[in-house]
Amino acid sequence: MILLKDLLNNLKKNNISFFTGVPDSILKDFCNYLTKLPKKKHIIAVNEGSAISLGIGYYLSKKKIACVYLQNAGLSNAINPLISIAHKKIYSIPLLLIIGWRGSPKRNDEPQHILKGKITKNLLKLLNIRFCILRKKKDLIKMNRLIKFSKRTKNTVACLIEKDILKDQKKLINKAKVQFLPFRRDLILELLKQISKNTKIISTTGYTSRELMQIRSENNLSNGKDFYMVGGMGHSSMVSLGYSLKSKKQIICLDGDGSLLMHMGSLRTIGFFGNTNFKHILLNNNSHESVGGQTTNANKINFNNLTKSLGYKNFFKISKVKKIKFIIKKFLKCKGPSFLEVKISEGTINNLPRPKNLIKIKKQFMS
Ligand SMILES: Cc1ncc(C[n+]2csc(CCOP(=O)(O)OP(=O)(O)O)c2C)c(N)n1
């Protein structure tokens, strides 16, 4: 076990004062601490490649190493600027990566994490990134050595942290935000009641897919078929578009604000190429709720102007429970590509199961 305060003190001692990254459940307490820092010291990036690039820009201006935190799933987003810009053989720009190691060989984890967990160390080796594994306080000495090496040689270095290692002694109590908005489950339940037999739903990573699966089975709602994007965060809209172009069926992408922002350029592809059968629902809680509730800053975006200017034909918005039924009806009837923004409160279902038998889920979806 490592205490959050020891990790933070260590970073301070090493004169690291700029943080950027994408939230992760293993690093939840770390990310939540950082969100209390002033804007100039910490930026939640939309994807891990952007976080690496922010760190590169910071180094170019301050000659100091930035700390970039990410889940190992996001290493793939990070690889492009890591290998093509920051690498020793390109511009030799040092960074400190703190990586939440989902699916590490010693821990049980979900199917989507197991493979990435297995290859994480090899990926770092291929990228010539020296790394250490932080399991106990003493390991912070290894981190210090790596940071010194990074500063001296201008190489990127990384620290891997497995599940349940990082502990915060004085847990930050997240005050319940009183918002009189619908919950994710209110929207999902009504949607499942209204869709036709042939509808396909493709749902994003985290609570959205888990709630969809649970609400469907709990209420025995069998119209339509679902494909849960248990990984590949940010890509559910393009998977949906790919499906919809080759099908006459109604296709609904159930997206989250963190996921949508991660690869927001996709909205233009949908606006341009999307057919009438394409329907996009954004469950906007302004938060990465599934990994700790860090803000996405999506609350002030005007999705009406945005999606219309990108080529979507219709825009709808829900912020009251009593409007859900009526607006879903209109949304399902209209000709797409259409966008529905649902402002939701944070809050999920207790003891949510996770999609397990993924091949079976795929086969059912395709049948
Ligand atoms: C590439 C990548 N980066 C980070 C994560 C960790 N992660 C899983 S769910 C999630 C938050 C998703 O936020 P949002 O789409 O707003 O949905 P919410 O959790 O609020 O329902 C994050 C950051 C991931 N799975 N993949």
Side-chain angles (χ1 to χ4, degrees):
M1 184 186 84
I2 295 179
L3 293 178
L4 177 67
K5 76 170 173 36
D6 292 329
L7 174 66
L8 293 170
N9 282 340
N10 214 52
L11 291 167
K12 207 169 164 188
K13 265 197 258 161
N14 282 289
N15 199 17
I16 293 195
S17 54
F18 179 68
F19 302 85
T20 177
V22 177
D24 164 46
S25 54
I26 290 180
L27 305 174
K28 183 163 82 184
D29 292 336
F30 180 62
C31 303
N32 282 340
Y33 168 82
L34 296 179
T35 56
K36 308 268 178 288
L37 295 178
K39 244 184 181 174
K40 279 189 191 159
K41 295 191 175 225
H42 173 231
I43 293 179
I44 297 180
V46 291
N47 65 55
E48 293 78 0
S50 304
I52 298 289
S53 309
L54 272 166
I56 291 172
Y58 172 80
Y59 179 82
L60 291 175
S61 130
K62 295 286 283 184
K63 302 190 190 76
K64 278 178 71 179
I65 294 183
C67 172
V68 180
Y69 61 87
L70 62 151
Q71 180 181 108
N72 57 339
L75 249 184
S76 323
N77 283 333
I79 282 177
N80 184 13
L82 275 176
I83 198 86
S84 304
I85 299 291
H87 193 275
K88 178 84 179 164
K89 292 197 172 148
I90 313 298
Y91 280 113
S92 194
I93 291 174
L95 296 156
L96 168 66
L97 311 184
I98 297 194
I99 304 175
W101 190 9
R102 296 293 304 261
S104 72
K106 290 197 173 157
R107 312 269 158 152
N108 264 342
D109 214 324
E110 300 309 312
Q112 67 273 20
H113 291 299
I114 291 169
L115 192 58
K116 195 56 165 279
K118 239 187 194 169
I119 64 169
T120 294
K121 289 202 301 187
N122 282 340
L123 270 178
L124 293 173
K125 283 179 197 159
L126 278 173
L127 292 163
N128 303 113
I129 294 177
R130 270 199 203 184
F131 63 90
C132 68
I133 302 169
L134 300 181
R135 290 199 172 106
K136 42 192 184 314
K137 189 175 173 184
K138 258 180 31 198
D139 294 334
L140 293 173
I141 298 169
K142 297 184 196 161
M143 181 188 213
N144 291 341
R145 276 194 222 121
L146 280 182
I147 296 173
K148 270 195 195 120
F149 167 80
S150 172
K151 287 180 180 170
R152 186 165 43 82
T153 63
K154 315 262 179 299
N155 269 297
T156 290
V157 295
C159 299
L160 292 170
I161 304 187
E162 293 162 302
K163 255 206 276 191
D164 304 323
I165 293 289
L166 198 59
K167 294 271 177 313
D168 187 6
Q169 264 179 330
K170 44 175 185 117
K171 275 252 172 258
L172 291 169
I173 299 160
N174 276 336
K175 280 188 228 139
K177 294 173 199 156
V178 186
Q179 296 170 328
F180 300 98
L181 296 172
F183 288 106
R184 192 191 282 104
R185 56 180 174 267
D186 299 324
L187 185 285
I188 292 176
L189 180 61
E190 187 56 36
L191 183 71
L192 288 177
K193 283 182 183 168
Q194 289 200 31
I195 53 171
S196 66
K197 232 174 120 191
N198 284 331
T199 303
K200 303 282 184 176
I201 303 180
I202 296 181
S203 53
T204 191
T205 318
Y207 290 155
T208 298
S209 282
R210 293 169 67 188
E211 284 197 15
L212 175 62
M213 186 181 81
Q214 175 67 359
I215 292 169
R216 192 182 261 298
S217 81
E218 233 175 43
N219 297 278
N220 239 330
L221 293 162
S222 58
N223 271 359
K225 291 275 185 316
D226 311 330
F227 186 77
Y228 310 115
M229 293 287 288
V230 291
M233 182 180 161
H235 292 297
S236 52
S237 63
M238 281 297 99
V239 174
S240 305
L241 181 68
Y243 187 95
S244 70
L245 292 174
K246 300 288 167 208
S247 166
K248 294 226 156 38
K249 292 174 181 148
Q250 169 142 264
I251 177 95
I252 296 174
C253 170
L254 214 46
D255 225 340
D257 45 309
S259 306
L260 181 141
L261 285 170
M262 187 166 262
H263 298 294
M264 196 156 87
S266 302
L267 297 187
R268 177 60 186 138
T269 315
I270 295 164
F272 194 80
F273 292 100
N275 290 334
T276 52
N277 60 346
F278 189 93
K279 303 284 166 70
H280 202 160
I281 300 180
L282 169 65
L283 296 164
N284 189 357
N285 54 7
N286 191 36
S287 141
H288 289 277
E289 187 184 350
S290 308
V291 290
Q294 306 80 0
T295 187
T296 59
N297 298 313
N299 53 342
K300 295 273 164 65
I301 298 174
N302 185 330
F303 282 101
N304 185 8
N305 288 351
L306 179 72
T307 54
K308 288 272 181 64
S309 69
L310 293 173
Y312 283 74
K313 298 277 180 295
N314 307 286
F315 176 83
F316 301 86
K317 187 168 178 173
I318 296 174
S319 51
K320 289 198 172 84
V321 178
K322 62 179 186 211
K323 295 274 178 182
I324 293 180
K325 200 169 173 177
F326 174 68
I327 293 189
I328 287 189
K329 202 170 186 179
K330 283 207 329 194
F331 173 71
L332 291 178
K333 263 196 187 149
C334 76
K335 290 193 168 159
S338 302
F339 196 91
L340 164 62
E341 180 190 11
V342 190
K343 290 270 196 186
I344 58 167
S345 286
E346 281 184 46
T348 188
I349 301 167
N350 287 337
N351 304 321
L352 261 184
R354 294 169 187 269
K356 293 275 182 217
N357 195 341
L358 302 181
I359 298 292
K360 193 170 156 205
I361 289 170
K362 179 192 76 174
K363 283 186 177 154
Q364 279 174 352
F365 180 83
M366 291 175 75
S367 69

